[in-house]
Amino acid sequence: MTDPGRRAELAASLEQVRERIARACVAAGRPPGAVTLTAVTKTYPASDVLLLAGLGVTDMAENRDQEAAAKAAEVHAAGVHPRWHFVGQLQRNKVRSVIRYADVVESVDSLRLAGALAKAAVGREVPLEVLVQVSLDADPARGGVTEDDLWRVSDAVASSEGLRLGGVMAVAPLGEDPGAAFARLAVIAGRMASEHPGATTVSAGMSGDLEAAVQHGATHVRIGTSLLGMRNSLR
Ligand SMILES: *Cc1c(COP(=O)(O)O)cnc(C)c1O
Protein backbone atom coordinates (compact mmCIF):
# COMPACT_ATOMS: atom_id res chain seq x y z
CA MET A 1 0.00 0.00 0.00
CA THR A 2 2.90 2.32 0.66
CA ASP A 3 5.10 0.97 -2.14
CA PRO A 4 6.70 4.19 -3.42
CA GLY A 5 7.82 2.56 -6.68
CA ARG A 6 4.32 1.49 -7.60
CA ARG A 7 2.95 4.87 -6.57
CA ALA A 8 5.37 6.65 -8.90
CA GLU A 9 4.55 4.24 -11.71
CA LEU A 10 0.81 4.80 -11.34
CA ALA A 11 1.28 8.57 -11.01
CA ALA A 12 3.20 8.63 -14.30
CA SER A 13 0.70 6.53 -16.23
CA LEU A 14 -2.19 8.48 -14.74
CA GLU A 15 -0.65 11.71 -15.94
CA GLN A 16 -0.32 10.28 -19.44
CA VAL A 17 -3.91 9.08 -19.51
CA ARG A 18 -5.17 12.41 -18.20
CA GLU A 19 -3.18 14.16 -20.92
CA ARG A 20 -4.66 11.92 -23.60
CA ILE A 21 -8.15 12.71 -22.32
CA ALA A 22 -7.42 16.44 -22.16
CA ARG A 23 -6.01 16.48 -25.70
CA ALA A 24 -8.99 14.51 -26.98
CA CYS A 25 -11.35 17.02 -25.34
CA VAL A 26 -9.55 19.91 -27.02
CA ALA A 27 -9.64 18.13 -30.38
CA ALA A 28 -13.37 17.51 -29.98
CA GLY A 29 -14.07 21.06 -28.86
CA ARG A 30 -15.34 19.80 -25.52
CA PRO A 31 -14.51 21.42 -22.19
CA PRO A 32 -11.73 19.81 -20.17
CA GLY A 33 -13.44 17.92 -17.40
CA ALA A 34 -16.24 16.80 -19.70
CA VAL A 35 -14.90 13.28 -19.34
CA THR A 36 -14.57 11.24 -16.16
CA LEU A 37 -11.80 8.67 -15.91
CA THR A 38 -12.89 5.30 -14.56
CA ALA A 39 -9.94 3.09 -13.62
CA VAL A 40 -10.57 -0.56 -14.48
CA THR A 41 -8.74 -2.30 -11.65
CA LYS A 42 -9.63 -5.93 -12.46
CA THR A 43 -6.77 -8.36 -11.75
CA TYR A 44 -4.93 -5.65 -9.78
CA PRO A 45 -4.88 -5.55 -5.97
CA ALA A 46 -6.73 -3.30 -3.55
CA SER A 47 -3.40 -1.59 -2.84
CA ASP A 48 -3.46 -0.20 -6.39
CA VAL A 49 -7.00 1.09 -5.86
CA LEU A 50 -5.82 2.89 -2.73
CA LEU A 51 -2.87 4.42 -4.58
CA LEU A 52 -5.08 5.56 -7.47
CA ALA A 53 -7.60 7.03 -5.05
CA GLY A 54 -4.74 8.86 -3.34
CA LEU A 55 -3.78 10.26 -6.75
CA GLY A 56 -7.29 11.61 -7.23
CA VAL A 57 -9.06 8.88 -9.19
CA THR A 58 -12.66 8.81 -7.97
CA ASP A 59 -14.17 5.99 -10.03
CA MET A 60 -13.07 2.33 -10.17
CA ALA A 61 -14.46 -0.52 -12.25
CA GLU A 62 -14.46 -4.29 -11.88
CA ASN A 63 -15.90 -7.09 -14.01
CA ARG A 64 -16.12 -10.13 -11.72
CA ASP A 65 -18.18 -10.21 -8.57
CA GLN A 66 -16.00 -12.45 -6.47
CA GLU A 67 -12.88 -10.39 -7.06
CA ALA A 68 -14.71 -7.09 -6.81
CA ALA A 69 -16.52 -7.89 -3.56
CA ALA A 70 -13.28 -8.76 -1.78
CA LYS A 71 -11.41 -5.77 -3.19
CA ALA A 72 -14.18 -3.31 -2.39
CA ALA A 73 -14.33 -4.62 1.18
CA GLU A 74 -10.58 -4.18 1.58
CA VAL A 75 -10.69 -0.64 0.21
CA HIS A 76 -13.68 0.23 2.39
CA ALA A 77 -11.87 -1.12 5.46
CA ALA A 78 -9.00 1.24 4.66
CA GLY A 79 -11.45 4.14 4.91
CA VAL A 80 -11.41 4.90 1.17
CA HIS A 81 -14.70 5.15 -0.73
CA PRO A 82 -14.42 5.36 -4.50
CA ARG A 83 -17.43 5.07 -6.76
CA TRP A 84 -17.52 1.42 -7.82
CA HIS A 85 -18.71 0.51 -11.31
CA PHE A 86 -19.56 -3.04 -12.28
CA VAL A 87 -18.79 -3.54 -15.98
CA GLY A 88 -18.81 -7.32 -16.51
CA GLN A 89 -21.45 -9.77 -17.61
CA LEU A 90 -23.65 -10.16 -14.57
CA GLN A 91 -25.49 -13.33 -13.69
CA ARG A 92 -28.72 -12.90 -11.82
CA ASN A 93 -27.52 -15.00 -8.91
CA LYS A 94 -24.73 -12.45 -8.35
CA VAL A 95 -27.00 -9.43 -8.26
CA ARG A 96 -27.47 -9.35 -4.49
CA SER A 97 -23.74 -9.42 -3.93
CA VAL A 98 -22.94 -6.78 -6.55
CA ILE A 99 -25.40 -4.22 -5.30
CA ARG A 100 -23.80 -4.32 -1.85
CA TYR A 101 -20.71 -2.50 -3.12
CA ALA A 102 -21.52 -1.17 -6.59
CA ASP A 103 -22.70 2.38 -7.11
CA VAL A 104 -23.17 1.87 -10.84
CA VAL A 105 -23.90 -1.26 -12.87
CA GLU A 106 -22.91 -0.50 -16.46
CA SER A 107 -23.57 -3.84 -18.08
CA VAL A 108 -27.34 -4.26 -17.97
CA ASP A 109 -28.44 -5.90 -21.18
CA SER A 110 -31.68 -7.76 -20.53
CA LEU A 111 -35.10 -7.23 -19.05
CA ARG A 112 -34.50 -10.16 -16.74
CA LEU A 113 -31.34 -8.64 -15.34
CA ALA A 114 -33.01 -5.23 -14.98
CA GLY A 115 -35.85 -6.95 -13.11
CA ALA A 116 -33.49 -8.79 -10.78
CA LEU A 117 -31.62 -5.56 -10.01
CA ALA A 118 -34.88 -3.71 -9.43
CA LYS A 119 -36.06 -6.34 -7.00
CA ALA A 120 -32.77 -6.37 -5.10
CA ALA A 121 -32.59 -2.57 -5.00
CA VAL A 122 -36.00 -1.98 -3.43
CA GLY A 123 -35.64 0.25 -0.41
CA ARG A 124 -32.12 1.40 -1.24
CA GLU A 125 -31.26 4.73 0.32
CA VAL A 126 -29.42 5.87 -2.81
CA PRO A 127 -30.81 4.38 -6.03
CA LEU A 128 -28.42 2.13 -7.93
CA GLU A 129 -27.28 3.83 -11.11
CA VAL A 130 -27.78 1.63 -14.16
CA LEU A 131 -26.33 2.00 -17.64
CA VAL A 132 -27.79 -0.08 -20.42
CA GLN A 133 -25.06 -1.82 -22.40
CA VAL A 134 -25.59 -1.36 -26.10
CA SER A 135 -24.31 -3.85 -28.63
CA LEU A 136 -22.62 -2.03 -31.49
CA ASP A 137 -22.12 -5.16 -33.56
CA ALA A 138 -24.99 -7.52 -32.68
CA ASP A 139 -22.51 -10.12 -31.41
CA PRO A 140 -24.30 -11.56 -28.39
CA ALA A 141 -21.10 -13.05 -27.01
CA ARG A 142 -19.80 -9.58 -26.23
CA GLY A 143 -22.87 -8.46 -24.31
CA GLY A 144 -25.22 -5.61 -24.92
CA VAL A 145 -28.75 -5.12 -26.21
CA THR A 146 -29.72 -4.44 -29.79
CA GLU A 147 -31.42 -1.13 -30.43
CA ASP A 148 -34.89 -2.71 -30.39
CA ASP A 149 -34.43 -4.06 -26.89
CA LEU A 150 -32.67 -0.94 -25.67
CA TRP A 151 -35.89 1.00 -25.20
CA ARG A 152 -37.67 -1.84 -23.42
CA VAL A 153 -34.79 -2.29 -20.98
CA SER A 154 -34.37 1.47 -20.48
CA ASP A 155 -38.06 1.97 -19.73
CA ALA A 156 -37.99 -0.89 -17.23
CA VAL A 157 -34.98 0.59 -15.43
CA ALA A 158 -36.46 4.10 -15.46
CA SER A 159 -39.68 2.91 -13.89
CA SER A 160 -37.99 0.94 -11.08
CA GLU A 161 -37.94 2.65 -7.73
CA GLY A 162 -34.52 1.50 -6.52
CA LEU A 163 -32.78 2.14 -9.86
CA ARG A 164 -31.77 5.30 -11.64
CA LEU A 165 -31.26 5.16 -15.39
CA GLY A 166 -27.90 6.84 -15.99
CA GLY A 167 -27.40 6.32 -19.72
CA VAL A 168 -25.56 3.90 -21.99
CA MET A 169 -22.37 1.88 -22.07
CA ALA A 170 -20.65 0.19 -25.01
CA VAL A 171 -17.51 -1.63 -26.04
CA ALA A 172 -16.19 -1.01 -29.54
CA PRO A 173 -16.57 -4.06 -31.78
CA LEU A 174 -13.48 -5.94 -32.86
CA GLY A 175 -12.39 -5.43 -36.43
CA GLU A 176 -14.16 -2.15 -37.04
CA ASP A 177 -13.01 1.45 -36.84
CA PRO A 178 -14.02 2.43 -33.28
CA GLY A 179 -14.91 5.94 -34.47
CA ALA A 180 -17.65 4.58 -36.73
CA ALA A 181 -19.04 2.44 -33.90
CA PHE A 182 -18.93 5.27 -31.37
CA ALA A 183 -20.67 7.55 -33.87
CA ARG A 184 -23.60 5.08 -33.88
CA LEU A 185 -23.50 5.06 -30.08
CA ALA A 186 -23.68 8.86 -30.06
CA VAL A 187 -26.93 8.78 -32.01
CA ILE A 188 -28.40 6.23 -29.60
CA ALA A 189 -27.18 8.24 -26.59
CA GLY A 190 -28.80 11.37 -27.97
CA ARG A 191 -32.11 9.60 -28.30
CA MET A 192 -31.73 8.14 -24.80
CA ALA A 193 -31.16 11.58 -23.30
CA SER A 194 -34.19 13.00 -25.06
CA GLU A 195 -36.49 10.14 -24.00
CA HIS A 196 -35.09 9.97 -20.47
CA PRO A 197 -33.86 13.38 -19.33
CA GLY A 198 -31.04 12.79 -16.88
CA ALA A 199 -29.82 9.67 -18.66
CA THR A 200 -26.85 11.48 -20.13
CA THR A 201 -23.93 9.21 -19.25
CA VAL A 202 -22.06 7.69 -22.18
CA SER A 203 -19.50 5.16 -20.98
CA ALA A 204 -17.26 4.31 -23.93
CA GLY A 205 -13.58 4.13 -24.70
CA MET A 206 -10.85 1.90 -23.31
CA SER A 207 -7.05 2.13 -23.45
CA GLY A 208 -6.89 1.62 -27.21
CA ASP A 209 -9.74 3.83 -28.33
CA LEU A 210 -10.38 6.54 -25.75
CA GLU A 211 -9.68 9.34 -28.26
CA ALA A 212 -12.37 8.08 -30.64
CA ALA A 213 -14.82 7.75 -27.75
CA VAL A 214 -14.19 11.29 -26.52
CA GLN A 215 -14.53 12.53 -30.09
CA HIS A 216 -18.03 11.00 -30.14
CA GLY A 217 -19.27 12.27 -26.81
CA ALA A 218 -18.15 9.77 -24.15
CA THR A 219 -18.67 11.18 -20.66
CA HIS A 220 -16.81 8.29 -19.01
CA VAL A 221 -13.81 6.34 -20.31
CA ARG A 222 -12.89 2.98 -18.76
CA ILE A 223 -9.12 2.58 -18.67
CA GLY A 224 -7.27 -0.50 -17.46
CA THR A 225 -4.08 -1.35 -19.35
CA SER A 226 -2.83 2.19 -19.97
CA LEU A 227 -3.10 2.96 -16.28
CA LEU A 228 -2.20 -0.24 -14.46
CA GLY A 229 -0.25 -2.22 -17.06
CA MET A 230 -0.86 -5.30 -19.16
CA ARG A 231 -3.02 -7.93 -17.53
CA ASN A 232 -1.94 -11.56 -17.64
CA SER A 233 -5.28 -12.83 -18.83
CA LEU A 234 -7.31 -11.41 -21.66
CA ARG A 235 -9.95 -9.90 -19.42
C1 LIG B 1 -11.22 -4.59 -19.05
C2 LIG B 1 -12.26 -3.65 -19.48
C3 LIG B 1 -11.93 -2.32 -19.80
C4 LIG B 1 -10.51 -1.78 -19.80
O1 LIG B 1 -9.82 -2.22 -20.92
P1 LIG B 1 -8.32 -1.73 -21.24
O2 LIG B 1 -8.17 -2.03 -22.67
O3 LIG B 1 -7.43 -2.52 -20.36
O4 LIG B 1 -8.24 -0.28 -20.94
C5 LIG B 1 -12.96 -1.47 -20.15
N1 LIG B 1 -14.24 -1.89 -20.19
C6 LIG B 1 -14.59 -3.16 -19.89
C7 LIG B 1 -16.02 -3.54 -19.97
C8 LIG B 1 -13.61 -4.08 -19.53
O5 LIG B 1 -13.97 -5.33 -19.25
Side-chain angles (χ1 to χ4, degrees):
M1 178 189 157
T2 50
D3 177 354
R6 182 59 170 160
R7 187 182 188 282
E9 203 170 88
L10 289 175
S13 59
L14 177 59
E15 194 183 317
Q16 281 175 5
V17 168
R18 282 189 173 142
E19 257 173 39
R20 283 176 63 189
I21 295 171
R23 273 200 301 272
C25 283
V26 170
R30 300 177 62 197
V35 178
T36 299
L37 167 64
T38 302
V40 183
T41 50
K42 64 190 179 196
T43 78
Y44 287 94
S47 54
D48 280 353
V49 174
L50 295 174
L51 288 170
L52 287 170
L55 292 164
V57 177
T58 55
D59 291 68
M60 311 288 170
E62 289 286 332
N63 72 338
R64 291 192 181 182
D65 172 57
Q66 203 177 5
E67 177 185 347
K71 207 178 293 182
E74 210 177 321
V75 170
H76 184 85
V80 173
H81 308 288
R83 236 173 117 64
W84 286 103
H85 299 242
F86 191 85
V87 300
Q89 288 200 356
L90 176 54
Q91 273 144 14
R92 278 177 297 145
N93 63 355
K94 298 291 172 66
V95 158
R96 289 205 174 270
S97 171
V98 165
I99 72 162
R100 269 186 223 119
Y101 56 85
D103 300 287
V104 188
V105 175
E106 300 200 5
S107 42
V108 175
D109 63 358
S110 73
L111 272 179
R112 276 153 59 121
L113 179 55
L117 284 165
K119 198 169 152 209
V122 166
R124 254 175 94 97
E125 213 171 298
V126 180
L128 178 75
E129 184 174 338
V130 165
L131 306 185
V132 181
Q133 183 175 350
V134 178
S135 167
L136 296 175
D137 64 357
D139 176 358
R142 307 197 74 216
V145 291
T146 58
E147 218 187 318
D148 284 350
D149 285 339
L150 172 63
W151 309 111
R152 273 194 286 273
V153 176
S154 305
D155 291 346
V157 170
S159 62
S160 299
E161 190 200 328
L163 308 181
R164 188 176 84 70
L165 180 64
V168 291
M169 182 273 242
V171 177
L174 298 170
E176 186 194 352
D177 165 34
F182 291 144
R184 293 199 295 281
L185 179 66
V187 173
I188 293 167
R191 205 174 139 197
M192 171 71 96
S194 66
E195 298 207 1
H196 294 284
T200 53
T201 293
V202 183
S203 173
M206 318 199 321
S207 293
D209 55 22
L210 80 83
E211 285 82 3
V214 170
Q215 174 71 39
H216 293 285
T219 62
H220 288 65
V221 292
R222 307 179 307 270
I223 308 300
T225 309
S226 289
L227 265 184
L228 291 129
M230 290 291 281
R231 293 177 296 274
N232 287 325
S233 64
L234 275 177
R235 60 191 188 100

